[in-house]
Amino acid sequence: MEDFTPLYVDIDLPEGALLRDDAARASVVDACHPNEAQAIWYHAHAPAMTFTAQKAITQWAAENGLGSPARPVDPNDDNGTLLEGGGVAFTRGVNCGFVVDAALVEQDCFCLAIRVSSPDAEARSLLTVNPDASDNYLFLSESEGRLIWRDDAGMVEVSIPAPGKDYWVLAGFDKGQLHLTAAPVGDVFPIPQKSTRPSAELAAELNGVADLFIGCRSHRKGILKTLGTSVVHDVLIWLDHGASTPALEQVARACRYAEAPRNTGERA
């Protein structure tokens, strides 16, 4: 292999002439406001929140009013708090959950994205789609460093490794088949993994009105071991789209906008 000698020049070079270790990230698509990418967006920052006098969250509004607000679940007794730098804090064994009532109505397909900080790789319950007319439900969880997207009855499941401490997860549902992918914050999503087969029974169970739970599984107190430690920064919902549509590029554009530190949540 030929040996190269470094070249030093005492002039300013244009950015395009420089090679950096993060060159791969420079090719990531431009940011796009999630609403412009057809997503309902819950961004965990103070302008979206209503608080009690003790700073507990009583409502979490969708950006630009495009979507119903999230509210504390019944067992969340003033446990939901917004961190100073942004993000809703969840504590292991304590119900800090929120719910968007009737978030999904007769959806054959949808996809959900969530941005999480999970230092212990034990976020446990992240998102749950809980239909009104069925005892079964879909849940996305993290345990022992793995992400799991499955129904409670065990009909379908897909699992992948969590990609680090700060990451996005994209969980899709398409007529009874599940799709799952995840990527570190700032990176692009790999092609989703799919469950082995679609379930017509699960599709029928979810073809009605369903609530979306954030950080828990239902209004019941439930088993405390399903409640983990994490910080949730963003939740995105695409209605009437499976995991491959909108395209992953469109999803990545929305994620880039949501994670930008300068973002205030106002529509561009």
Side-chain angles (χ1 to χ4, degrees), residues 216-266:
C216 64
R217 299 190 186 181
S218 72
H219 286 292
R220 296 190 296 269
K221 289 185 178 180
I223 303 173
L224 295 183
K225 69 180 183 180
T226 66
L227 306 172
T229 297
S230 69
V231 177
V232 173
H233 300 276
D234 297 278
V235 176
L236 306 177
I237 307 170
W238 279 271
L239 302 176
D240 299 317
H241 292 294
S244 59
T245 306
L248 291 182
E249 180 177 321
Q250 184 180 3
V251 174
R253 293 178 68 200
C255 293
R256 294 300 80 79
Y257 188 100
E259 69 197 15
R262 66 183 179 281
N263 178 52
T264 64
E266 297 301 323

Side-chain angles (χ1 to χ4, degrees), residues 159-182:
S159 175
I160 59 175
K165 295 181 179 181
D166 299 287
Y167 59 85
W168 285 94
V169 191
L170 180 67
F173 175 84
D174 190 355
K175 300 178 178 66
Q177 188 168 43
L178 305 184
H179 306 244
L180 185 65
T181 183

Side-chain angles (χ1 to χ4, degrees), residues 32-77:
C32 172
H33 192 288
N35 293 159
E36 298 293 342
Q38 310 305 312
I40 299 169
W41 180 25
Y42 296 88
H43 184 44
H45 65 154
M49 306 294 185
T50 303
F51 302 93
T52 67
Q54 291 72 38
K55 303 298 183 182
I57 300 168
T58 60
Q59 182 173 280
W60 182 359
E63 296 301 300
N64 297 302
L66 299 178
S68 300
R71 63 180 178 87
V73 298
D74 294 346
N76 180 349
D77 187 16

Side-chain angles (χ1 to χ4, degrees), residues 123-249:
R124 306 295 175 94
S125 298
L126 290 169
L127 296 172
T128 303
V129 177
N130 204 323
D132 289 350
S134 173
D135 291 332
N136 196 11
Y137 56 84
L138 273 177
F139 66 92
L140 173 66
S141 65
E142 182 199 42
S143 181
E144 297 181 351
R146 290 196 67 83
L147 295 163
I148 302 169
W149 179 224
R150 56 163 289 185
D151 71 299
D152 188 54
M155 290 185 284
V156 288
E157 176 178 331
V158 60
S159 175
I160 59 175
K165 295 181 179 181
D166 299 287
Y167 59 85
W168 285 94
V169 191
L170 180 67
F173 175 84
D174 190 355
K175 300 178 178 66
Q177 188 168 43
L178 305 184
H179 306 244
L180 185 65
T181 183
V185 168
D187 212 338
V188 296
F189 288 107
I191 298 299
Q193 298 293 314
K194 299 180 182 181
S195 56
T196 55
R197 58 178 179 83
S199 168
E201 184 178 352
L202 181 60
E205 289 179 339
L206 289 182
N207 190 22
V209 177
D211 301 331
L212 177 66
F213 289 83
I214 304 170
C216 64
R217 299 190 186 181
S218 72
H219 286 292
R220 296 190 296 269
K221 289 185 178 180
I223 303 173
L224 295 183
K225 69 180 183 180
T226 66
L227 306 172
T229 297
S230 69
V231 177
V232 173
H233 300 276
D234 297 278
V235 176
L236 306 177
I237 307 170
W238 279 271
L239 302 176
D240 299 317
H241 292 294
S244 59
T245 306
L248 291 182
E249 180 177 321

